[in-house]
Amino acid sequence: MLAKRIIPCLDVKDGEVVKGINFVGLREVGDPVEMGAEYSSQGADELVYLDISASFEGRKTFTELVSAISERINIPFTVGGGISSFGDAARLLDAGADKITINTAAVNDPSLITHIASHYGSQFVVVTIDARKVGEASWKVTTHGGKVLTDKELYSWAKEAEDRGAGEILFTSMDHDGEKKGYAVNEYARLSELLSIPVIASGGAGSVDDIAEVLTTGKADAALAASIFHFGEIKIPDLKRQLAEREISVRI
Amino acid sequence: MIAIVDYKAGNIRSVENALKRLEADYQVTSDPDAIRTASHVILPGVGEASNAMRFLLPLVDVLKSLTQPVLGICIGLQLMCASSEEGPTECMNIFDSKVLRFRPSEGAKIPHMGWNTIENLRSPLFRGIQEGAFVYYVHSYYPEYSDSETVASTYFAGVTFSAAMNRGNFYGTQFHPEKSGPVGEKILENFLRIC
């Protein structure tokens, strides 16, 4: 039976892993390759590395890092952050990334999804959507790490991304991210019913209950989290054992 | 020396890195002589079957005539089958199975992406691997189950398909051993031990 995936996310700045609370207030937590290898040996199903460097030098360091990760890690990994062109995606593929994720660049130019997917396959393209609730019922897409609110609506944009060739959707609720009070469960359930590609839940994990809920009621195919893993609040083997006890299919 | 067949079909970096981790001696090549004289041949591949088959065409006769262990991975395995619905295209016809497309079914999202279990293991490829071990998959097309050639099976979207196949010196895995953690590493190591 296909397992639900547990995905630690590592934000990388100038070669070091950091984790923001609501995308600000960065704290250093460790070496990206070593942390990835450790998560892999603990039973992580995939890894996501996001480059949050602002500088050209930082970007160059990140590409070198992707090569080093690819040499060391024997599970799939996705890389993203700052991919703004087909060339950026090709460069990361050559460095050994299994998938790339695009966010702001896809909002600005949706044809980029199609361009990359038609060359390297849909399985290579994860479209990340950061959205926040506006008013009572509407979820609006944000860009630039949550700083810019756009006119795009979450569900229609996710569907468009799928139609344009995305292989997976990684949705982060900006209202839940960093709060550790649970995922936006209803929104994931709706997305999962709307789309025929896998949905990765991100933002809000604070406990095993939260992760179990988003994988069952939330119908997500994978749960991504950062700080609860980085700071050892939940160990991946314990998490998977507890999910298995609740009859959620996980790889142990 | 192991030959990784280079036929311009997708990313082979992860297969190279897996062999490096096993400290195996390999070269990436499309040279028929280098392929013929290799101890083991690996046919990797991601991408679209009919295009991949077009790139592979100049090497088909060489590959079919090989007598050393050959391992096709993902599209590599599919190209060793009789034909594929993707394209559609005729393939190398080393295995009798056809490659079919998953049909949408309740609760199953396509592509089949992620970790799934392998069952009914019967090949030296799986020495030391337990029934029900998890391996990593990314694919929308699958090789049919065959009584004589299927050496591991996986269930997804209402079908039991060939997770791995073997006929004589030819082997194939639909999953990616190079991305399947310690289980995949062991399967690759087992393949390199076949002589």
Side-chain angles (χ1 to χ4, degrees):
Chain A
M1 191 174 171
L2 188 64
K4 299 281 189 180
R5 290 170 279 156
I6 300 300
I7 309 176
C9 178
L10 300 93
D11 288 350
V12 178
K13 186 168 192 289
D14 304 322
E16 295 283 331
V17 176
V18 293
K19 170 60 191 172
I21 307 297
N22 280 337
F23 282 29
V24 292
L26 301 178
R27 283 169 74 176
E28 236 176 65
V29 287
D31 173 78
V33 179
E34 291 309 317
M35 282 181 72
E38 176 59 24
Y39 284 136
S40 173
S41 72
Q42 286 182 13
D45 297 306
E46 278 183 49
L47 302 170
V48 171
Y49 287 90
L50 295 179
D51 180 20
I52 57 167
S53 309
S55 66
F56 174 76
E57 280 306 309
R59 294 255 184 276
K60 205 176 142 205
T61 306
F62 188 69
T63 306
E64 288 160 11
L65 179 64
V66 170
S67 297
I69 295 162
S70 170
E71 282 174 19
R72 177 78 179 271
I73 307 283
N74 59 12
I75 60 170
F77 70 98
T78 303
V79 300
I83 295 174
S84 58
S85 67
F86 178 81
D88 288 341
R91 182 170 45 82
L92 293 165
L93 176 107
D94 288 340
D98 295 293
K99 311 176 192 180
I100 53 98
T101 172
I102 47 176
N103 184 347
T104 300
V107 172
N108 292 342
D109 175 15
S111 73
L112 184 62
I113 302 170
T114 319
H115 191 184
I116 300 171
S118 62
H119 267 75
Y120 299 123
S122 286
Q123 86 293 334
F124 183 64
V125 186
V126 181
V127 171
T128 293
I129 303 176
D130 296 335
R132 73 169 73 247
K133 200 169 185 179
V134 176
E136 274 311 294
S138 171
W139 283 79
K140 293 287 188 191
V141 175
T142 67
T143 59
H144 300 84
K147 290 194 282 283
V148 178
L149 190 66
T150 73
D151 287 340
K152 282 195 195 292
E153 192 270 331
L154 167 65
Y155 300 103
S156 58
W157 171 230
K159 185 71 188 138
E160 181 182 345
E162 172 179 317
D163 292 344
R164 286 180 177 273
E168 290 175 280
I169 298 291
L170 195 172
F171 160 50
T172 304
S173 159
M174 302 306 289
D175 296 331
H176 296 70
D177 192 55
E179 298 292 331
K180 297 188 183 177
K181 291 174 184 164
Y183 293 89
V185 172
N186 296 337
E187 285 67 29
Y188 288 108
R190 194 170 151 193
L191 265 183
S192 196
E193 280 163 16
L194 175 72
L195 304 176
S196 62
I197 55 176
V199 174
I200 304 168
S202 156
S207 68
V208 173
D209 287 341
D210 294 339
I211 293 173
E213 192 184 16
V214 83
L215 294 175
T216 52
T217 314
K219 300 183 180 177
D221 298 280
L224 177 143
S227 54
I228 54 161
F229 296 140
H230 299 338
F231 298 114
E233 291 160 34
I234 298 177
K235 302 271 191 226
I236 291 172
D238 297 338
L239 167 64
K240 286 193 154 183
R241 186 176 41 75
Q242 291 185 57
L243 292 175
E245 282 167 9
R246 297 172 201 209
E247 298 185 342
I248 296 169
S249 172
V250 286
R251 176 180 71 113
I252 292 183
Chain B
M1 178 74 82
I2 300 151
I4 301 177
V5 181
D6 180 13
Y7 60 108
K8 311 287 175 236
N11 185 14
I12 53 174
R13 178 70 96 89
S14 54
V15 174
E16 282 191 74
N17 284 334
L19 293 185
K20 275 187 207 161
R21 285 191 291 270
L22 291 170
E23 296 176 354
D25 202 14
Y26 72 89
Q27 61 173 323
V28 177
T29 182
S30 55
D31 173 38
D33 285 332
I35 293 169
R36 256 185 228 111
T37 56
S39 65
H40 296 74
V41 175
I42 297 179
L43 186 63
V46 284
E48 196 274 333
S50 64
N51 274 317
M53 195 60 211
R54 207 160 23 235
F55 285 123
L56 194 62
L57 220 47
L59 291 173
V60 166
D61 289 342
V62 177
L63 291 169
K64 288 183 79 165
S65 71
L66 295 176
T67 54
Q68 66 272 56
V70 179
L71 177 67
I73 298 175
C74 192
I75 291 283
L77 163 60
Q78 295 184 4
L79 298 183
M80 289 158 80
C81 291
S83 62
S84 174
E85 281 190 346
E86 190 176 25
T89 180
E90 293 300 306
C91 298
M92 286 196 281
N93 204 21
I94 293 168
F95 299 125
D96 291 337
S97 288
K98 295 187 180 98
V99 177
L100 307 177
R101 195 181 206 299
F102 284 119
R103 310 284 167 214
S105 76
E106 186 60 35
K109 292 181 176 179
I110 294 161
H112 176 217
M113 182 187 298
W115 298 81
N116 207 333
T117 50
I118 45 175
E119 328 273 348
N120 306 311
L121 310 180
R122 44 189 181 99
S123 163
L125 283 181
F126 302 110
R127 219 171 268 148
I129 305 289
Q130 291 189 347
E131 287 285 328
F134 278 93
V135 292
Y136 187 76
Y137 282 102
V138 184
H139 61 130
S140 300
Y141 293 78
Y142 65 91
E144 286 176 306
Y145 180 88
S146 149
D147 282 336
S148 55
E149 295 171 342
T150 299
V151 293
S153 60
T154 291
Y155 178 83
F156 179 71
V159 291
T160 297
F161 67 89
S162 294
M165 304 188 79
N166 170 228
R167 178 177 196 146
N169 59 311
F170 291 96
Y171 298 81
T173 64
Q174 178 56 56
F175 57 87
H176 288 271
E178 76 280 14
K179 284 289 160 188
S180 295
V183 167
E185 198 160 284
K186 178 77 181 152
I187 292 168
L188 280 176
E189 203 181 343
N190 285 340
F191 170 69
L192 298 181
R193 286 206 181 137
I194 297 169
C195 44

